[in-house]
Amino acid sequence: MKLTVVGCSGSFPSAESACSSYLVEADGFRLLLDMGNGALGELQRHCGLYDLDAIFLSHLHADHCIDMCGYFVARYYRHDGGRCPAIPVHGPEGTEQRLTTAYADTPSASAMSEVFDFHTLKPGHVEIGPFSVRTERLAHPVEAYGIRLEHGGRTLTYSGDTGVCDGLDELAAGADLFLCEASFTHGKEDIPDLHLNGREAGAYAQRANAGRLVLTHIPPWTDPRQTLRDATAVYSGPTEVAHPGAVYEI
């Protein structure tokens, strides 16, 4: 598997990064994890507009899904080659309605589903292209899912947005790369069922015996250096902060 960080800023784009979006490739199949603010433009640095094969939306907060509205335009109104066929979009219940409402002026109530083939996420196992996928509902104010991707004997886990919960332990166990949110600063913010801090992300990685920890979804007002120090205080494996354009072979 190949993981490319398209965007990794939390809550809103920073001067350096779009919001959450991660491209995962294997056997010529391209799966995009989330498409937050600014991600559609950055995605075109790494992948053609019409080269994606499937999309996973961890939850329906704008910083993880709002650029799907722009992607709707690109697919629905394409004239060269005709309208794009519907691409599978795996998201929480109500994803189609959320995107239709956000766009606010679709040609019809069903226009989104003409270019997006919506699949409702539930906890459990599914196949997406060459990937064996497990999803778990995690702790967040809206319905939110983490994802575990397995291919060729290797594993990538992406937390999405979550507070402390048991489901993340299950998804991360033995992962070769653990892409984990770390929005909060240890000792500063403490809001249950919302986000993790660097120390909590590191503790998950240590318990999971993960091969590598990549910290992501760090908001512009949070110091990533402190987040990294907090994570490495409790996790003994390789650890780094995500940055746009970073590529990992898993």
Side-chain angles (χ1 to χ4, degrees):
M1 290 184 285
K2 175 183 174 183
L3 168 67
T4 302
V5 177
V6 177
C8 51
S9 184
S11 299
F12 59 95
S14 70
E16 292 80 29
S17 178
C19 283
S20 290
S21 191
Y22 313 91
L23 180 64
V24 186
E25 301 172 77
D27 295 348
F29 190 95
R30 296 179 175 93
L31 169 64
L32 192 71
L33 309 179
D34 286 337
M35 193 184 287
N37 319 42
L40 183 59
E42 289 299 313
L43 176 65
Q44 294 170 71
R45 299 179 186 272
H46 310 287
C47 177
L49 272 176
Y50 307 110
D51 293 336
L52 291 177
D53 296 293
I55 299 168
F56 166 87
L57 299 178
S58 64
H59 65 292
L60 300 179
H61 280 155
D63 60 326
H64 291 257
C65 75
I66 203 63
D67 268 26
M68 290 289 290
C69 292
Y71 197 43
F72 165 78
V73 172
R75 297 187 72 86
Y76 190 90
Y77 292 105
R78 186 181 76 163
H79 294 290
D80 292 342
R83 183 177 296 169
C84 295
I87 182 175
V89 175
H90 302 262
E93 186 173 359
T95 296
E96 180 178 1
Q97 294 83 354
R98 172 75 169 95
L99 296 179
T100 300
T101 300
Y103 190 87
D105 192 27
T106 53
S108 71
S110 61
M112 283 282 173
S113 62
E114 294 180 40
V115 293
F116 297 140
D117 178 17
F118 291 101
H119 298 258
T120 300
L121 286 173
K122 298 293 181 184
H125 296 267
V126 67
E127 301 295 319
I128 302 178
F131 302 108
S132 177
V133 175
R134 177 179 175 181
T135 56
E136 289 288 347
R137 185 165 178 178
L138 303 182
H140 206 51
V142 298
E143 186 177 359
Y145 291 85
I147 186 170
R148 178 185 176 95
L149 298 167
E150 297 185 16
H151 175 73
R154 310 295 283 177
T155 302
L156 163 66
T157 296
Y158 169 49
S159 68
D161 282 10
T162 184
V164 173
C165 62
D166 293 339
L168 188 56
D169 279 308
E170 298 174 15
L171 289 180
D176 295 288
L177 191 148
F178 183 25
L179 180 64
C180 187
E181 77 116 288
S183 307
F184 287 162
T185 300
H186 176 62
K188 180 182 177 183
E189 298 115 333
D190 184 15
I191 305 172
D193 299 333
L194 184 57
H195 289 299
L196 302 176
N197 59 47
R199 189 176 183 88
E200 289 166 338
Y204 273 109
Q206 186 69 18
R207 289 196 299 272
N209 194 28
R212 176 181 296 272
L213 172 62
V214 179
L215 302 164
T216 193
H217 199 272
I218 299 176
W221 55 59
T222 298
D223 181 357
R225 297 167 297 181
Q226 184 60 53
T227 302
L228 182 62
R229 287 193 292 267
D230 290 341
T232 56
V234 293
Y235 172 60
S236 56
T239 311
E240 58 200 271
V241 174
H243 64 273
V247 175
Y248 302 91
E249 298 288 344
I250 305 168

